[in-house]
Amino acid sequence: MLTLLSPAKINLFLKILGKRPDGYHELESLFQTISMFDTLRIRLADNDRFTCNDPYLPTDSTNLVILALAKFRQLYKKNFHVHIHLEKTIPTQAGLGGGSSNAATTLWGINQLLDCPLTVEHMQDLGAEIGSDVPFFFSCGTAICRGRGEIVEPIAPHEPQEVWIVKPIEGLSTPLVYQALKLESLKKMANDGSEYYNDLEEAAFELQPRLRTIKQDLIQAGFSTVLLCGSGTAFFCLGEATPPEMIGVACTKAKFINRHPKRWYQ
Ligand code: C5P
């Protein structure tokens, strides 16, 4: 039995460069893994079984864990079966990459159980077929991602930093946020030179107006940086402050993490 941690990610910056003929958006984004984890337990078995502690999460082929298993099987070709149990902690519809991380962790775990038939590059390619954010998790946790997110340039880890993750009860679907994006106004609103920015923020705020108020309240509380994670609705906050009490908002302290090249995240 393998027990693996599946980390969340934040985007320290996220620049949208334009819309592509295939409907995706070309982007450039600095991704960082943080110490907020789901847990995956995987073991070889006589049949396939997937369970999850969250009753609201589908456990059918729409779950990225099941998709990852199917993709692995397509490439590996030999017969094997696994039991997988997923304990969710990372909120969904948050922009924290929980589903993508679960898929990457599943590929890593199955590969370990089968004595590593696939290279990291193989798994990164499989990951790109599952979702744009999946390949990133095969870096060591700090990378600039381009294309639709699947082209990963690992960079040196950042100084370990503490970060607050602030998640309102409202969620947002990634495709809806991309649909609401106004590319023309993005071009006019060139970023103000800040190290941290997210071009998806305005579109998310249009869809969920309370996010704007939450961001203002967090800045008011003294954080130096308050930025939406991916397509939202979670924010990450940097600086010496504590989030104020907000109704229907969960606040969790985490820190930047990186993995050793030979090991998964710990
Ligand atoms: O790749 P993934 O399945 O995670 O993407 C989910 C959706 O997010 C896509 O179907 C697309 O609508 C949007 N998206 C996008 N541009 C990206 C990544 C995602 O438009 N670079």
Side-chain angles (χ1 to χ4, degrees):
M1 160 96 83
L2 258 185
T3 301
L4 293 172
L5 296 181
S6 173
K9 61 82 179 159
I10 58 176
N11 303 81
L12 295 173
F13 68 74
L14 197 167
K15 175 136 213 67
I16 301 293
L17 301 167
K19 191 160 181 188
R20 309 175 1 158
D22 64 3
Y24 281 89
H25 291 76
E26 193 72 15
L27 57 78
E28 185 172 76
S29 180
L30 175 53
F31 280 61
Q32 173 65 53
T33 41
I34 57 165
S35 62
M36 176 187 267
F37 300 105
D38 292 337
T39 306
L40 268 162
R41 276 188 268 282
I42 313 185
R43 67 181 176 88
L44 292 174
D46 295 336
N47 56 0
D48 288 330
R49 183 194 298 161
F50 175 47
T51 52
C52 179
N53 71 319
D54 181 346
Y56 296 103
L57 215 69
T59 48
D60 60 12
S61 59
T62 59
N63 193 299
L64 297 191
V65 167
I66 298 294
L67 198 53
L69 170 61
K71 290 280 175 198
F72 197 105
R73 198 165 261 151
Q74 262 174 26
L75 193 65
Y76 181 57
K77 296 206 172 74
K78 287 186 211 157
N79 199 27
F80 71 91
H81 295 286
V82 278
H83 286 180
I84 305 178
H85 180 72
L86 172 61
E87 288 279 330
K88 282 305 281 186
T89 303
I90 305 171
T92 54
Q93 296 220 317
L96 292 166
S100 304
S101 171
N102 295 164
T105 306
T106 302
L107 295 175
W108 180 277
I110 296 173
N111 198 47
Q112 291 291 313
L113 288 173
L114 297 173
D115 289 332
C116 302
L118 303 190
T119 63
V120 167
E121 290 72 27
H122 276 135
M123 291 191 279
Q124 221 156 13
D125 291 347
L126 284 185
E129 294 175 22
I130 299 166
S132 305
D133 291 351
V134 179
F136 157 70
F137 290 94
F138 292 102
S139 72
C140 290
T142 311
I144 296 179
C145 298
R146 300 190 174 83
R148 60 182 170 85
E150 87 288 16
I151 302 168
V152 180
E153 180 196 334
I155 62 166
H158 277 243
E159 283 294 301
Q161 273 194 63
E162 297 215 317
V163 59
W164 277 95
I165 301 299
V166 174
K167 171 67 177 73
I169 195 157
E170 301 91 325
L172 272 174
S173 123
T174 302
L176 284 187
V177 175
Y178 274 103
Q179 267 170 40
L181 197 59
K182 297 192 183 83
L183 289 173
E184 278 316 303
S185 53
L186 273 188
K187 279 186 201 130
K188 282 195 210 102
M189 235 181 38
N191 115 63
D192 57 8
S194 163
E195 193 183 347
Y196 305 102
Y197 57 91
N198 181 346
D199 280 349
L200 295 176
E201 246 187 11
E202 268 308 308
F205 290 178
E206 291 287 315
L207 295 170
Q208 291 285 10
R210 187 166 82 115
L211 293 178
R212 212 184 287 277
T213 318
I214 293 171
K215 175 159 176 159
Q216 277 159 5
D217 289 351
L218 290 165
I219 291 171
Q220 192 72 38
F223 287 106
S224 51
T225 298
V226 178
L227 200 68
L228 197 71
C229 303
S231 57
T233 55
F235 288 98
F236 75 85
C237 312
L238 301 175
E240 297 293 314
T242 307
E245 283 284 326
M246 292 173 282
I247 293 165
V249 179
C251 301
T252 313
K253 208 173 187 176
K255 59 183 194 305
F256 291 10
I257 54 150
N258 289 94
R259 72 176 182 90
H260 183 278
K262 297 239 182 293
R263 290 194 295 269
W264 201 239
Y265 297 89
Q266 323 228 311

